[in-house]
Amino acid sequence: MPTSIDVRVEKGIKNLMRRSLSIWPGRCEQLLESSLSFYVGAEFLRTGFAVIQEFPVNSTNRVDLVAFERKSKTLVLLESKRFWSIHGPADPNALLRDIARIKRIATKGLSVWCSDGKRALSVKRAFGVALGSVSGRNPKATQKNLERAEKALNRKATGFLGDVHPDGTYAVLRRVWEIDLGEAR
């Protein structure tokens, strides 16, 4: 059964797909990777979360998007990556490494700057979100690249779902999971 986090992520991706019908950049996967985080983040904002993109975990480490809902103390850590694209293959292991990194960051806790100074964020529930964009020169190539990415990812981290843009040249793989905060606390 999908969680409210799954629903928000899916709505953000569907919004990107639907709204981009009038202003689609066509085969520019760098723009699409950042747009993924933007549209999913906008859905979290719309539903009451505070959202920061490129959240600094330390001086050299960032998370693409962090969303936090104060009342429920729910934390979401999101990473987006590009996979096979019109410019050649990308490494799906990069997203698998991000999945492990998200878990480490969530279980250690995030230090945040608040109006009353720097402190650890009080979290009751945490979720990880991994998004991967796939593109191709045409719908057939995109489908082939999507199948390759799903196969590579699901070998090591099951549960990825795919959404394909109406023009067929772009798709998104997504995975949402709850992080067990008791492991490190």
Side-chain angles (χ1 to χ4, degrees):
M1 177 170 201
T3 67
S4 63
I5 303 302
D6 293 296
V7 170
R8 286 178 178 98
V9 170
E10 183 179 15
K11 281 184 179 181
I13 293 168
K14 299 276 187 206
N15 230 354
L16 169 64
M17 303 290 189
R18 186 175 55 257
R19 296 196 184 266
S20 65
L21 290 172
S22 61
I23 183 171
W24 190 237
R27 298 174 181 84
C28 180
E29 71 279 350
Q30 182 62 43
L31 175 65
L32 302 178
E33 180 183 0
S34 58
S35 292
L36 269 174
S37 297
F38 175 80
Y39 272 87
V40 172
E43 184 61 28
F44 280 103
L45 276 172
R46 190 188 69 71
T47 58
F49 279 72
V51 175
I52 302 291
Q53 288 189 281
E54 294 299 322
F55 190 95
V57 176
N58 56 39
S59 62
T60 59
N61 196 1
R62 298 194 184 300
V63 174
D64 287 345
L65 184 139
V66 171
F68 182 70
E69 203 283 315
R70 180 185 264 177
K71 186 176 179 182
S72 66
K73 297 184 177 183
T74 300
L75 174 69
V76 178
L77 301 167
L78 178 146
E79 283 288 339
S80 297
K81 289 285 184 270
R82 288 176 302 192
F83 295 133
W84 289 276
S85 68
I86 62 171
H87 298 295
D91 180 11
N93 289 319
L95 190 56
L96 295 171
R97 287 188 297 274
D98 279 345
I99 289 170
R101 189 170 68 91
I102 285 171
K103 181 179 175 183
R104 283 191 310 272
I105 292 167
T107 55
K108 285 182 180 180
L110 289 176
S111 180
V112 296
W113 286 96
C114 301
S115 58
D116 62 352
K118 191 174 182 180
R119 60 184 156 99
L121 195 61
S122 176
V123 176
K124 284 189 180 177
R125 291 183 81 188
F127 293 85
V129 177
L131 303 174
S133 66
V134 178
S135 57
R137 294 188 188 284
N138 55 52
K140 188 176 179 179
T142 300
Q143 187 60 41
K144 181 179 176 183
N145 292 339
L146 180 61
E147 289 167 7
R148 289 170 54 200
E150 285 176 316
K151 184 178 177 183
L153 288 169
N154 283 323
R155 258 187 262 138
K156 296 184 181 176
T158 60
F160 278 90
L161 302 172
D163 297 287
V164 180
H165 190 273
D167 81 354
T169 63
Y170 176 69
V172 176
L173 283 164
R174 62 184 156 89
R175 179 177 182 236
V176 178
W177 70 99
E178 187 161 6
I179 299 167
D180 181 1
L181 295 174
E183 291 179 19
R185 293 186 177 167

